């Protein structure tokens, strides 16, 4: 028989989860929305190249984060161990990608985009650590969804959004794309720490866990 209550509950959960997805997407693009208002088109191009190049880490670890939701739901009370191990694995994969990218940034940019884009080297290196932590935060967002806390995954990106907007407005015009990269890296780190704090409370974990 048709269960209207179940349909309503599912639709409401989906709506709240979608809010988190939208918030995360907007937050990820906030820097590229704001930077053109302060810097030249060439500087925007350099930052965009650096940002898109580091996003390979999130692309390659994104599938792992997606699998956390069904696996954590299925494992129930034992799901925190799965979430923590997956988060650690994503950080490990991210570092395995970020370290060679950081060491070879200049030749990679020159080879792929041309010598004029080697000016994005410092910016890309600054972005890499935050990108690794942002990939790990995706695991925690999925874990919050699995714990039936979809709104918390939306709230987790709010502090990062505030830091991104405020930091770019204050520092961008006088310090260029390197300042933008620092602000973005700090925002990604904050998002990861806040998501970890939220999940720790939901899963009733100790910090050392």
């Amino acid at each position: 028989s048709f269960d209207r209550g179940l349909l309503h509950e599912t639709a409401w959960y989906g709506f709240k989860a979608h809010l988190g997805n939208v918030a995360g997407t907007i937050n990820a693009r906030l820097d590229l929305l704001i930077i053109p208002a302060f810097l030249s088109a060439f500087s925007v191009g350099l930052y965009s190249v650096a940002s898109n190049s580091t996003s390979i880490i999130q692309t390659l670890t994104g599938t792992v984060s997606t699998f956390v939701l069904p696996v954590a739901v299925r494992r129930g009370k034992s799901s925190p161990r799965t979430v923590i191990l997956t988060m650690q694995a994503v950080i490990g994969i991210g570092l395995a990608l970020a370290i060679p990218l950081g060491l070879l940034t200049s030749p990679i940019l020159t080879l792929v985009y041309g010598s004029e884009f080697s000016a994005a080297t410092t910016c890309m290196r600054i972005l890499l650590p935050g990108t690794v932590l942002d990939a790990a935060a995706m695991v925690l967002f999925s874990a919050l969804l699995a714990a039936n806390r979809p709104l918390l995954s939306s709230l987790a990106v709010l502090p990062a959004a505030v830091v991104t907007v405020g930091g770019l407005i204050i520092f961008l015009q006088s310090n260029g794309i390197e300042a933008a990269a620092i602000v973005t890296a700090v925002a990604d780190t904050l998002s990861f720490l806040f998501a970890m704090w939220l999940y720790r409370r939901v899963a009733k974990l100790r910090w050392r866990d």
Side-chain angles (χ1 to χ4, degrees):
S1 62
F2 180 73
D3 190 334
R4 184 168 296 180
L6 179 61
L7 177 63
H8 178 269
E9 182 180 352
T10 302
W12 181 234
Y13 175 90
F15 174 74
K16 290 186 287 186
H18 184 62
L19 285 179
N21 291 334
V22 171
T25 301
I26 293 174
N27 190 53
R29 298 291 100 187
L30 266 179
D31 48 1
L32 289 174
L33 289 173
I34 296 172
I35 290 173
F38 294 90
L39 300 180
S40 66
F42 180 67
S43 294
V44 173
L46 290 176
Y47 184 85
S48 180
V49 164
S51 178
N52 289 335
S53 298
T54 59
S55 68
I56 188 174
I57 294 173
Q58 294 157 318
T59 301
L60 294 177
T61 59
T63 303
V64 179
S65 303
T66 303
F67 283 136
V68 169
L69 177 56
V71 172
V73 170
R74 185 173 68 249
R75 296 198 173 179
K77 292 183 178 180
S78 64
S79 65
R81 175 173 171 78
T82 300
V83 170
I84 292 170
L85 290 175
T86 305
M87 182 186 72
Q88 292 171 346
V90 166
I91 291 175
I93 295 169
L95 289 174
L97 294 169
I99 291 172
L101 279 176
L103 293 174
L104 301 173
T105 300
S106 184
I108 289 173
L109 290 176
T110 300
L111 177 65
V112 177
Y113 296 101
S115 58
E116 62 272 23
F117 284 95
S118 63
T121 296
T122 300
C123 179
M124 182 172 166
R125 285 174 174 162
I126 294 171
L127 288 171
L128 282 169
T131 304
V132 173
L133 292 181
D134 190 52
M138 295 300 106
V139 175
L140 297 174
F141 294 156
S142 293
L144 289 171
L145 292 175
N148 199 25
R149 298 290 195 279
L151 279 180
L152 289 184
S153 65
S154 304
L155 291 175
V157 303
L158 290 180
V162 172
V163 168
T164 299
V165 174
L168 291 179
I169 290 175
I170 294 170
F171 299 110
L172 186 57
Q173 192 164 12
S174 58
N175 296 284
I177 60 172
E178 284 77 16
I182 292 172
V183 169
T184 299
V186 170
D188 287 341
T189 302
L190 183 62
S191 180
F192 167 72
L193 292 175
F194 191 46
M196 191 163 57
W197 179 76
L198 289 173
Y199 183 70
R200 185 187 72 88
R201 291 178 62 87
V202 168
K204 296 180 173 59
L205 299 172
R206 299 164 299 179
W207 276 115
R208 65 182 181 180
D209 293 330

